[in-house]
Amino acid sequence: MSVGCLLGKCVPVEAIIPDRTTVSREVDKVYVSRKNQLKKIVESVQNFSITVDFWTESHTGVSYGGVSLHYYDQNYGLQSLVLACREYNMPNQTSPNIRTFTDEILQEYGLKLNENVYAVTDNEPKMKAAFRDDVKRIGCSAHYLNKIVEHSLTKKGIKCDAIQQAADKHPSIHLVIPLRQQLIKLSQPDPYDCDAITKLKEFFVFELESKWEVSDEHFIAMLLHPNFKECSNCSQLKDKAYALLKQEFERRKSLIPIPAKSLMKPTTPKREKKSLIADCYDTTSTDLQEETELDLYSKLCVTLDPDKDDLLDFWAKQRQNYPILSAIACDLLIIPATNTTIERLFSTSGAAVTSKRTRLNTSKVDKLMFLKKNLLLLKKLDCINVGNGLLTATPSDMKRKRDEMNESSQEDVDANTNDINSQLGDNLFDDI
């Protein structure tokens, strides 16, 4: 090393060779220097906007707040700078504390929010309240897009009950691959798209194909719907889907006990006396291979009406014709395609534990949510089994009653829930 020769003895080696102490010390020096530089730059900035967001680091559990500055410079164009990525040291994330936290960071740079400044935040109520006064808040578009999809599957009162409750009342796992392939198809770039849209669509296709994982059960369930067994929307996946179904079919077939009559040793029939000419006729071949359930199902010409026909009902009726396929269908088609049922439960529980119910016991929340989600259905099932004497009802009677239950309006559910709250709520809360 030539450090000593070049710099002499006046420069300690600790200041030259990087180690933890040196790096930490230099980071502090560079930060102070560059921060002062940025302060001078923003002194001449007339119009600016900021973005604010908060998150919690998963490993340490530390919450951070980030603030960025955006402004236009005639010489350098649009500039985006990070003002802080700082530990959130406020007692809680109420709107006044969020606003105070942000204002303190801006004050370090001589900046102040006013009616001419835009603040881009997510769309949570606390963020809306924090930046309601003396600033113009703009909602994050990415957050909007994400919430649109989420709310379409979870929010009540938006006339999307058929989609939201599809996984609750009807099979849905068979729709995953067809819908996935349709989204990929719709996201293919068009020759008339600009370069930015083309890149965006290519990213969508890549994410759909690489991040949206599908399992063997998705492929098998798709073929178990008569409307999808030709795989016209995803022909490139047809061979794989049928190979998986055949594999599962053979596995189930080996588990089914062979009927007793098939285990009996075949007896040789007595030969009837025939004429000399009759002995010259062609013998009837007994080696013809019987068609399996898969062969018969592949030739089945049936189209189900998605508004009237239930897929599980179809397979229940086909149990005699396709015993193995029916068993597979009953096992796989009860798997929901999403977990939005639980997501809606979380939303409901959030509405129950309000600012006036912060001491609500967790076990009592569990009971309230059980009643909220199940009471109406359990009442009607009890009415079917006892009140109407349908303990020995026929399948058609049960299907008719089930259809009546499914046609119940959301107003009935809300009215029933309100009745629960009015009759039980106060007493339950008093017992805490």
Side-chain angles (χ1 to χ4, degrees), residues 23 32 47 62 75 118 137-138 155 175 192-193 217 243 247 320 325 348 371 410 429:
V23 172
V32 172
N47 301 317
V62 177
N75 298 323
Y118 290 89
R137 195 195 72 86
I138 301 294
K155 193 174 182 179
L175 299 173
Y192 298 99
D193 291 336
E217 289 76 11
Q247 179 181 348
Q320 296 297 326
L325 290 178
T348 304
L371 295 176
Q410 185 63 36
F429 300 146

Side-chain angles (χ1 to χ4, degrees), residues 384-400:
I384 290 175
N385 292 333
V386 180
N388 294 341
L390 291 178
L391 288 171
T392 59
T394 63
S396 59
D397 292 332
M398 295 299 294
K399 185 178 186 302
R400 176 176 56 82

Side-chain angles (χ1 to χ4, degrees), residues 23 78 88 101 104 132 145 183 202 238 244 266 269 348 432:
V23 172
L78 181 64
Y88 186 78
F101 178 83
E104 288 178 355
R132 181 183 295 120
L145 182 61
L183 288 175
E202 290 175 349
K238 183 175 181 180
L244 291 170
T348 304
I432 301 173

Side-chain angles (χ1 to χ4, degrees), residues 331-351:
D331 287 343
L332 296 187
L333 295 179
I334 61 173
I335 303 173
T338 68
N339 69 339
T340 52
T341 301
I342 298 300
E343 293 292 342
R344 293 195 298 272
L345 180 64
F346 289 161
S347 299
T348 304
S349 63

Side-chain angles (χ1 to χ4, degrees), residues 31 35 38 42 48-50 66-70 81-86 102 105-106 108-109 111:
Y31 170 77
K35 185 175 181 179
L38 182 55
V42 299
F48 65 93
S49 63
I50 64 170
V67 180
S68 64
L69 178 72
H70 307 262
L81 302 167
V82 174
L83 299 184
C85 179
R86 189 170 300 171
T102 305
I105 293 176
L106 294 176
E108 294 178 6
Y109 296 87
L111 300 173

Side-chain angles (χ1 to χ4, degrees), residues 266-308:
T267 59
T268 304
K270 294 182 179 180
R271 183 174 180 178
E272 298 179 357
K273 293 183 178 180
K274 297 181 180 179
S275 64
L276 180 61
I277 300 299
D279 289 339
C280 297
Y281 292 156
D282 293 335
T283 58
T284 303
S285 176
T286 58
D287 297 333
L288 295 177
Q289 186 177 3
E290 295 183 359
E291 290 185 316
T292 65
E293 289 184 33
L294 282 176
D295 298 328
L296 295 174
Y297 176 64
S298 63
K299 298 177 181 178
L300 183 65
C301 296
V302 174
T303 301
L304 300 185
D305 186 341
D307 297 327
K308 298 180 181 179

Side-chain angles (χ1 to χ4, degrees), residues 378-419:
L378 294 175
K379 277 187 175 181
K380 291 191 175 184
L381 287 176
D382 185 57
C383 179
I384 290 175
N385 292 333
V386 180
N388 294 341
L390 291 178
L391 288 171
T392 59
T394 63
S396 59
D397 292 332
M398 295 299 294
K399 185 178 186 302
R400 176 176 56 82
K401 285 295 181 181
R402 186 184 62 189
D403 292 341
E404 292 177 358
M405 290 162 53
N406 290 340
E407 292 174 358
S408 297
S409 63
Q410 185 63 36
E411 288 76 12
D412 293 337
V413 178
D414 294 338
N416 188 78
T417 303
N418 293 334
D419 183 62

